Amino acid sequence: MMSFRTWQSISGWLVGAFAACLIVVPWGYAVVPLVASGVAAVSIPSIGHRWRYLDHEDALWCLALLAYAALWLWDVQRTGVWPVGEGDQGVGLPLWPLLAAGLLIWLRCVGPSPRQWWLGIAAGALAAGGIALFECLVLRYSRASNGMNAIPFGNIALLLGCLSLLAALWSWSRRRRASRRHVQTPRWERLALVAALGGFLASLLSGTRGGWIALPLLLGLCYLAWRRLPVGTVRPATPWRRFAVIMGLLMMMVLTAMPISGVTSRLERAVEDFQAYQQGEERDGSVGLRLEMWRAGYRLFLERPLSGWGEGRLEAARDAMVARGDLHPGVSVFDQLHSDTVDTAARRGLLGLVVLGLFYGVPLWLFYRRLGHEEVGVRILAVAGLLIPVAFLEFGLTQSMLRDVRGLSGYMGLSIGCWAVMRREEWVARRRQRRLARAQALGAVRADE
């Protein structure tokens, strides 16, 4: 039988592999969690007494996951229709929260390493940037997507890029505790900063305008993490660092302005679509169809505000509005309303909105409570944990991210992984404080003698 430390190391590599493979490897969003569930089942005899580390906060998060799964399964039961999703990959979506709850319990018991989680984040962002550059500069694709929907690819890449910035801050904080001498920046921190640039490039080249709207808020949270570092953690910028930052920003600006990136043209097109829709001239543009779907969702919600229309019935009611000429026929192409909030309100009513609020609100509250923790590594992980639901909330304003297989799996996997590594850091910090207190008490006794 393998030792507990071996299972702990395996869990760390699994959470890192999930972040690295989420939008890079086909079916990575599913294969890694399924492998983790198998490992968890095998490792149960080795966990032993560590079940006692679970507490009411873990129970609250599990309840939010179970409530989300139960509501979706109830919706499927009352209508007899399972979600399909793009590419017929969404059939198992209602079951993913159940798997996530089980993995949350296991990860909390074993306590994966933060270093491996951060490394997986950086690897995923860096690989996404490389794929996006190859597709746009070599293959001449109009939008980078890595063979999936370009919107979740760009949104999740942007999130991984922002998390990579926090990975660099976390490494700086760890190095400060190990030594207060001014030493050369390790290669791992440079990798994290380059990975952040890769995530941002993937977002730009994917043309995900919803992610660009969320970027200022996400960067604001990264700035919050930087401001909460102790004085002296981040050294004054040397000339070469300033040069690297300036060159990185210039490269981003050049790529943004280049016609091949499509950034400028997509922004201009969004403005034109909105103006045309307001004037009643055009409703079949990207923005116009979204506005049509949101209008339909609002009207359908008012008709059935408590429990909504349900899986399958929502699409039928929407198509009936199209047949009456109330909506543009283009909205019938989609299996969702391009907004998590609007789609949930129309599909599951107020009950669905309450459960969706718990699904986002519980992790937000749990991570928010750690922003004032005395251990700087815990604080940075808490900001990272806040970043994930905030990002998906922003992304979900213009796209139904939770009805996408990578969106739902990514939200639960990244947030649960961050929670597990943060709680381990909390435990390590408490143990260090107890040792320090015992040493101080022993020193005081010896001084009195």
Side-chain angles (χ1 to χ4, degrees):
M1 182 181 296
M2 288 190 290
S3 65
F4 174 77
R5 289 188 177 276
T6 302
W7 294 117
Q8 191 175 55
S9 177
I10 292 175
S11 70
W13 287 114
L14 284 172
V15 294
F18 176 80
C21 298
L22 178 58
I23 57 173
V24 174
V25 179
W27 293 93
Y29 68 91
V31 172
V32 177
L34 291 175
V35 170
S37 63
V39 172
V42 174
S43 66
I44 288 177
S46 301
I47 293 178
H49 66 281
R50 294 188 176 266
W51 297 101
R52 62 186 175 87
Y53 290 130
L54 298 172
D55 56 23
H56 68 282
E57 292 182 321
D58 301 308
L60 182 61
W61 199 331
C62 286
L63 285 175
L65 291 170
L66 296 177
Y68 193 78
L71 179 64
W72 206 333
L73 290 171
W74 168 76
D75 196 2
V76 170
Q77 187 275 332
R78 66 170 172 157
T79 61
V81 179
W82 278 82
V84 177
E86 186 174 356
D88 296 336
Q89 295 179 339
V91 175
L93 281 174
L95 303 176
W96 280 108
L98 301 177
L99 178 63
L103 290 177
L104 185 151
I105 295 173
W106 177 67
L107 289 174
R108 278 285 290 116
C109 291
V110 296
S113 167
R115 186 174 298 276
Q116 292 163 331
W117 188 74
W118 287 121
L119 183 60
I121 293 290
L126 188 60
I131 290 171
L133 283 173
F134 178 77
E135 289 187 343
C136 290
L137 299 181
V138 178
L139 301 180
R140 299 289 179 174
Y141 290 174
S142 60
R143 297 179 67 181
S145 64
N146 194 25
M148 66 185 75
N149 190 321
I151 297 177
F153 173 77
N155 284 338
I156 296 176
L158 177 63
L159 173 59
L160 293 176
C162 292
L163 290 173
S164 296
L165 291 177
L166 296 178
L169 292 180
W170 182 84
S171 182
W172 271 321
S173 69
R174 298 278 291 188
R175 186 158 50 84
R176 176 182 181 271
R177 190 180 65 199
S179 173
R180 294 181 180 273
R181 295 178 300 173
H182 296 321
V183 296
Q184 186 178 6
T185 304
R187 294 179 180 179
W188 197 91
E189 294 172 15
R190 295 176 183 173
L191 171 66
L193 294 175
V194 174
L197 180 62
F200 297 152
L201 285 176
S203 173
L204 287 174
L205 297 178
S206 68
T208 52
R209 294 173 297 204
W212 305 340
I213 297 174
L215 182 59
L217 180 57
L218 301 184
L219 291 180
L221 287 174
C222 293
Y223 176 75
L224 172 66
W226 179 78
R227 289 289 298 174
R228 287 180 173 270
L229 289 177
V231 177
T233 299
V234 182
R235 290 169 284 125
T238 57
W240 77 264
R241 288 191 184 88
R242 287 195 293 267
F243 175 77
V245 171
I246 292 173
M247 290 303 296
L249 292 175
L250 286 176
M251 184 168 66
M252 291 281 290
M253 293 172 62
V254 170
L255 285 173
T256 301
M258 288 175 60
I260 193 173
S261 70
V263 174
T264 304
S265 61
R266 284 188 60 78
L267 291 175
E268 292 175 349
R269 180 60 179 169
V271 175
E272 293 173 358
D273 286 350
F274 180 76
Q275 292 175 345
Y277 184 85
Q278 290 290 96
Q279 297 170 4
E281 300 174 356
E282 181 180 349
R283 294 186 296 169
D284 60 351
S286 175
V287 175
L289 288 177
R290 276 180 169 82
L291 293 173
E292 284 286 273
M293 286 185 278
W294 298 347
R295 184 166 65 89
Y298 176 70
R299 290 177 57 180
L300 293 174
F301 168 73
L302 293 180
E303 293 181 21
R304 296 186 180 181
L306 295 181
S307 60
W309 290 80
E311 289 288 340
R313 296 175 182 172
L314 170 65
E315 291 81 358
R318 176 204 60 195
D319 293 342
M321 296 177 67
V322 172
R324 294 195 301 267
D326 296 338
L327 295 176
H328 191 277
V331 302
S332 296
V333 177
F334 304 96
D335 64 345
Q336 37 91 4
L337 298 180
H338 269 276
S339 171
D340 280 321
T341 304
V342 175
D343 189 272
T344 300
R347 198 180 299 271
R348 302 186 186 102
L350 290 173
L351 180 61
L353 289 177
V354 171
V355 174
L356 181 65
L358 293 174
F359 195 58
Y360 281 126
V362 168
L364 278 171
W365 178 70
L366 294 178
F367 284 115
Y368 176 79
R369 295 185 62 193
R370 269 76 180 182
L371 290 180
H373 198 278
E374 58 186 8
E375 176 66 27
V376 62
V378 175
R379 292 204 299 270
I380 294 176
L381 283 164
V383 175
L386 275 179
L387 197 71
I388 296 167
V390 166
F392 275 89
L393 273 168
E394 289 277 353
F395 300 155
L397 294 177
T398 56
Q399 172 72 10
S400 296
M401 291 290 293
L402 299 183
R403 292 186 67 82
D404 181 90
V405 287
R406 290 174 183 84
L408 181 63
S409 179
Y411 169 67
M412 294 187 299
L414 292 175
S415 57
I416 289 172
C418 186
W419 174 251
V421 298
M422 186 192 70
R423 294 304 302 271
R424 178 190 174 179
E425 286 288 270
E426 278 189 308
W427 180 81
V428 171
R430 286 196 300 269
R431 185 177 63 173
R432 188 184 307 115
Q433 291 172 356
R434 287 195 297 266
R435 288 178 177 176
L436 179 60
R438 285 197 298 266
Q440 291 175 345
L442 182 59
V445 171
R446 289 177 177 175
D448 292 338
E449 293 177 352

